[in-house]
Amino acid sequence: MTNETDVAATGLPDEDVVGAENEFDAVNEPVASGETESDGPELSIVTPLDVPGQPRLDLDRALEAILFIADEPQSVVSLAAAVARPVAEVRAAIARLRADYDGAGASGEPRTDVAGEPEPRSIRRGFELREVGGGWRFYVRAEYDTLVADFVLTQSSTRLSQAALETLSVIAYKQPISRSQVASIRAVNVDSVVRTLLGRGLVTEVDTDPETGAILYGTTELLLTNLGINSLDELPHISPLLDDGQEGFDFD
């Protein structure tokens, strides 16, 4: 701070002293974090949705894209980590998406940088965003189950592979059972095979494990129809056919 004595000592007008001080402060101002003297401010990516030089991504649409390709229900925490946004924002976005798909409102992250855009109309979709086992996933609406099942069956007339038959057998005898448990029995990854069986309508999601939240699978009426039996009780005992007949796939 400059007092009257300092001004008098310099012999300069007041405004010149103030200007000189400002120039001195500008030269000696410490460099802010993330900046260099030569390159200027360094751009940082705050979230995967805000990439410098790229169009700003909408949070709702980003979650929609992730859920579209997800094979398992995704928790709010995992979704928040994927888009690097607070959990509260992700929950709000999921609520908007559900309302959008139900025809009760339009989704889209609220924007403060764009004004005057018309509110998009929303229609009830043939799918819904459902919370299952502590996570969120897309499902066909119940009223379209029969239609979609019939369509899938007409598109899947080829025979099942050996891997699919083995996986189907494990599920049939050990249901309800999770993918990881099936994989443990077969000693191979069964994700794609289970998806095939789901697509054929031979297995379905019947429950969730209360401890792990894993989806449990069981067989459908279609399998009984194809096998020509009325219930799972009519499945043959296969322990006598195994090398170690004492520990097979007989019902507990």
Side-chain angles (χ1 to χ4, degrees):
M1 180 175 180
T2 304
N3 54 33
E4 295 180 358
T5 303
D6 295 331
V7 173
T10 59
L12 295 174
D14 292 358
E15 60 271 19
D16 292 342
V17 173
V18 173
E21 286 184 343
N22 290 338
E23 291 178 2
F24 177 84
D25 292 339
V27 171
N28 292 276
E29 183 178 3
V31 177
S33 176
E35 295 183 1
T36 61
E37 294 181 358
S38 58
D39 299 332
E42 180 181 310
L43 294 177
S44 62
I45 299 176
V46 179
T47 78
L49 308 183
D50 302 318
V51 181
Q54 299 292 330
R56 182 178 183 274
L57 299 181
D58 183 85
L59 175 60
D60 295 16
R61 301 284 79 82
L63 295 175
E64 190 176 51
I66 293 173
L67 291 167
F68 181 78
I69 56 90
D71 290 332
E72 298 286 347
Q74 301 298 307
S75 68
V76 174
V77 174
S78 65
L79 291 172
V83 297
R85 289 291 186 87
V87 170
E89 290 187 16
V90 172
R91 284 202 182 99
I94 289 177
R96 290 193 298 268
L97 287 173
R98 292 188 67 194
D100 185 3
Y101 303 149
D102 292 342
S107 62
E109 185 178 12
R111 299 287 295 272
T112 58
D113 56 334
V114 178
E117 291 188 352
E119 184 75 11
R121 296 181 61 186
S122 179
I123 59 173
R124 192 169 187 269
R125 315 296 176 83
F127 58 89
E128 62 181 333
L129 189 55
R130 190 187 307 168
E131 186 176 18
V132 176
W136 295 91
R137 186 183 179 191
F138 286 125
Y139 287 86
V140 173
R141 291 193 185 276
E143 57 264 39
Y144 298 105
D145 278 346
T146 301
L147 175 66
V148 173
D150 291 343
F151 172 79
V152 171
L153 291 177
T154 60
Q155 300 297 310
S156 307
S157 58
T158 58
R159 298 179 60 182
L160 292 175
S161 65
Q162 183 65 30
L165 289 172
E166 292 175 2
T167 300
L168 180 59
S169 298
V170 173
I171 295 175
Y173 280 91
K174 287 293 189 181
Q175 61 185 303
I177 188 172
S178 66
R179 291 191 191 191
S180 60
Q181 290 171 327
V182 176
S184 177
I185 293 173
R186 293 199 57 227
V188 294
N189 186 290
V190 298
D191 289 353
S192 62
V193 179
V194 171
R195 284 197 296 269
T196 298
L197 296 175
L198 284 169
R200 298 289 187 90
L202 297 173
V203 301
T204 187
E205 300 172 3
V206 296
D207 204 352
T208 56
D209 189 301
E211 295 183 359
T212 65
I215 294 176
L216 301 179
Y217 297 91
T219 54
T220 65
E221 293 292 328
L222 179 61
L223 176 64
L224 300 181
T225 300
N226 290 343
L227 293 178
I229 59 179
N230 293 317
S231 70
L232 295 173
D233 295 333
E234 298 181 31
L235 286 174
H237 295 284
I238 63 174
S239 292
L241 304 177
L242 302 176
D243 293 335
D244 185 0
Q246 299 301 318
E247 296 185 8
F249 291 96
D250 285 339
F251 296 108
D252 295 332

